Amino acid sequence: MFRSLPFTASAFTRSYATKLNKYPRPKPGTAERPAYHAPDPLNNNPQAVVTALPENDLTFIHRPPPTAPSPHSLTTNPVSPLLRPSKSKEGVSLPPPSRPRFAREPLPRASPQTMSEIKRLRALDPGRYTCSVLAKKFSVTRGFVQSIAALKKSQRRAKRREQEAVADKARGEWSEKKTTLMLIKAKRRELW
């Protein structure tokens, strides 16, 4: 079958090799077209005024803007609000707050007497004067009470043991199905 073909494999290889020689590849490290280098607008502008400063051996080149200033140009109407002339803020209406908590007035700063009283009550009976109770009593946040009147390590451990005992008691009342589902969730959190 191959003998009936008009050309052989060697002829095909030879013609293919001659075609490659017609279009030689560029030399390594060179490009087929040279890279574009933009002309320097300061040196190539016919309207540029060049002034030499001999005392400092400097050259000052003044190039006028390419177009005349218009009402929409950046020189007369800059986009950045920092470049615009300042306006009075008295007549400007502010937009409504995006979240309701930003509209609330900040809580007044706690006095030193209030802080000392919070510390005294918290140290006196931590079970009765919890963070939420003291926060509601003195109109402060729970985080503020926790930061200024933190419990001792032993008290924190005891409180954590009590919370774990309550949680274990609640877990003991779960059904077998819920226990399996919670174990699956815990395993997912551990793996992912």
Side-chain angles (χ1 to χ4, degrees), residues 114 117-118 121-122 125-143 145-146 159:
T114 303
E117 185 66 14
I118 290 173
L121 292 175
R122 186 77 168 138
D125 191 0
R128 180 181 174 190
Y129 297 106
T130 60
C131 292
S132 56
V133 170
L134 292 174
K136 196 175 289 184
K137 182 177 181 180
F138 293 99
S139 300
V140 294
T141 60
R142 292 180 72 251
V145 176
Q146 289 174 351
K159 189 173 182 181

Side-chain angles (χ1 to χ4, degrees), residues 97-105:
S98 59
R99 292 180 176 84
R101 62 188 175 93
F102 292 145
R104 289 183 295 191
E105 292 291 329

Side-chain angles (χ1 to χ4, degrees), residues 164-184:
E164 286 294 328
V166 172
D168 287 338
K169 184 179 178 182
R171 287 190 205 104
E173 298 174 359
W174 287 353
S175 65
E176 184 179 353
K177 180 180 178 181
K178 185 170 183 179
T179 306
T180 307
L181 290 175
M182 298 307 288
L183 288 173
I184 290 171

